[in-house]
Amino acid sequence: MASENYRWVPENPPKKGKTAFDGKKLGKTILLSALALFLLIGIFTCFYTVDDKQQAVLTTFGKVTDITNPGLHFKLPYGIQKVSRVDVNVYQKIELGYRTQENGITLSYPEESTMITGDYNIVKVDFFVEYKISDPVAYLYSSTAPELILRNLVQSQVRNVVGSAQVDNVLTVGKEEIQMRVKELVMEILAEYDIGLTLVEVRIQDSDPPTQEVIEAFKAVETAKQQAEAVINKALAYQNAQIPNAQAQAHKLTEEAEYLYQARVNEALEKVALFNAMYNEYILNEDITMARMYYEAISEILPGVKLYITTTGEGDVQMLLPLESLMGGN
């Protein structure tokens, strides 16, 4: 019986040029790398900055938890806390009836500017509106488009106020009153609904009548008003110049009247004193006083006439006595 040769062969021999795979070690490496990446992402997303013109609204799981001011701040990463920055210290504008392009060209929007006044005239009025964000939380979450709401609100109130005004006021002297009224109405509504915006200024940028003929007519009206103001100012200047003279004349007349008044009073007092003195003499000697008064009255009634008094002397002889000698030649 022939002999047989036997050789041992391993069941799974290693392949040439490769080592055995260590899966446990590789898994540990992947886990550590993922953890390191996770930590790095967390560190870099934990901090945020707010510039000097902004405020940031911080939400935790979708709920507002804080409002942060300019500076460097911390937040929880991985979507636990989110930050929404809002430009609260920036004045923003709305243009009604026109749009100013970046190159300085102004485009007209007549559908916004054409309005009808209270006296049924058509005018074109452009408005400039300036506003700012007053409440970042209300601005972000009270409405979906607060700027659009403000634009529609201002345009509505502009048409309301212009529609109740006279065309002369819209085009000339009443612009300031219209601006103030529009601002008051818009601010009242903003305070009621609170969309996070506050109105800073409302100004009529331009106002024109619809046709050239009407434009010329309003220019003539404006010129007439300016001329009237010039005449009024001239009259006021003349009045201011004449008032001191009139006051001086009035003062002089008042002093003269006071002097005449005092003279009449003194004269009356003198007559009263004279009458009282004569009355006292009359009480002492009635006959002589009455005779004297009679003679004095005759002298006043018949000036320049010589008067004589007949008297009865001794032996019933009548004598003529000249009144002048008795009166002392007066």
Side-chain angles (χ1 to χ4, degrees):
M1 183 174 183
S3 61
E4 296 179 356
N5 294 324
Y6 292 93
R7 184 169 58 92
W8 179 80
V9 179
E11 296 181 357
N12 296 314
K15 294 182 179 180
K16 187 178 182 179
K18 294 184 178 182
T19 60
F21 175 75
D22 192 350
K24 186 176 181 180
K25 183 177 181 181
L26 179 62
K28 185 176 180 181
T29 301
I30 294 174
L31 180 62
L32 291 175
S33 299
L35 182 60
L37 180 63
F38 182 83
L39 291 175
L40 287 174
I41 294 174
I43 291 173
F44 282 109
T45 57
C46 280
F47 297 95
Y48 66 97
T49 58
V50 182
D51 66 28
D52 57 350
K53 295 182 179 180
Q54 296 178 330
Q55 282 185 330
V57 178
L58 185 66
T59 59
T60 305
F61 294 115
K63 183 179 179 180
V64 177
T65 55
D66 194 11
I67 298 176
T68 56
N69 294 316
L72 180 64
H73 302 277
F74 174 82
K75 72 177 182 67
L76 298 177
Y78 306 114
I80 298 175
Q81 290 185 322
K82 294 182 179 180
V83 176
S84 299
R85 296 174 179 83
V86 180
D87 296 328
V88 295
N89 294 324
V90 177
Y91 290 98
Q92 304 182 53
K93 67 179 181 178
I94 295 176
E95 297 173 333
L96 293 178
Y98 71 102
R99 301 289 188 276
T100 303
Q101 305 299 314
E102 294 182 357
N103 56 7
I105 297 176
T106 301
L107 301 179
S108 179
Y109 286 74
E111 66 276 8
E112 294 180 355
S113 61
T114 303
M115 308 176 193
I116 186 169
T117 62
D119 51 358
Y120 304 103
N121 286 284
I122 298 176
V123 293
K124 294 181 180 179
V125 187
D126 296 337
F127 274 84
F128 174 82
V129 179
E130 195 171 44
Y131 69 96
K132 63 183 295 186
I133 299 173
S134 58
D135 186 344
V137 176
Y139 173 76
L140 292 173
Y141 303 110
S142 293
S143 61
T144 56
E147 287 87 358
L148 180 60
I149 293 175
L150 179 60
R151 172 181 286 275
N152 294 334
L153 176 60
V154 172
Q155 189 167 8
S156 173
Q157 297 307 317
V158 163
R159 293 187 179 276
N160 181 23
V161 175
V162 173
S164 61
Q166 301 295 311
V167 66
D168 287 347
N169 293 331
V170 177
L171 298 178
T172 55
V173 297
K175 292 182 179 180
E176 184 174 354
E177 182 179 356
I178 292 174
Q179 294 169 176
M180 293 178 59
R181 183 57 179 160
V182 171
K183 185 177 180 180
E184 290 175 358
L185 292 174
V186 174
M187 291 183 68
E188 289 178 2
I189 299 176
L190 287 178
E192 181 179 356
Y193 290 99
D194 190 17
I195 59 175
L197 300 178
T198 182
L199 204 59
V200 177
E201 183 181 7
V202 176
R203 184 174 68 247
I204 295 179
Q205 192 74 3
D206 192 17
S207 59
D208 294 309
T211 63
Q212 187 62 32
E213 291 80 4
V214 180
I215 292 175
E216 295 299 329
F218 276 104
K219 286 183 179 178
V221 171
E222 186 67 20
T223 302
K225 289 181 178 179
Q226 293 177 358
Q227 292 176 350
E229 290 179 358
V231 172
I232 292 174
N233 292 334
K234 184 177 180 180
L236 291 175
Y238 177 78
Q239 175 185 348
N240 293 333
Q242 294 299 319
I243 285 177
N245 295 333
Q247 290 177 342
Q249 186 68 19
H251 182 68
K252 179 180 179 181
L253 294 175
T254 302
E255 288 185 345
E256 291 180 355
E258 289 289 340
Y259 173 76
L260 293 175
Y261 164 77
Q262 193 62 40
R264 292 291 180 89
V265 170
N266 294 336
E267 183 181 356
L269 293 175
E270 183 180 355
K271 290 183 177 181
V272 169
L274 182 60
F275 176 82
N276 289 333
M278 187 178 295
Y279 179 72
N280 292 331
E281 294 294 330
Y282 173 77
I283 293 175
L284 295 175
N285 198 331
E286 296 182 3
D287 294 334
I288 295 175
T289 304
M290 291 182 64
R292 180 179 177 180
M293 292 174 63
Y294 173 76
Y295 297 146
E296 290 178 352
I298 293 298
S299 299
E300 292 178 0
I301 295 172
L302 302 173
V305 178
K306 292 184 178 182
L307 300 179
Y308 295 90
I309 302 174
T310 59
T311 63
T312 301
E314 296 179 359
D316 295 332
V317 178
Q318 291 185 351
M319 299 178 61
L320 296 177
L321 299 176
L323 185 60
E324 292 179 355
S325 61
L326 296 177
M327 301 275 306
N330 295 325

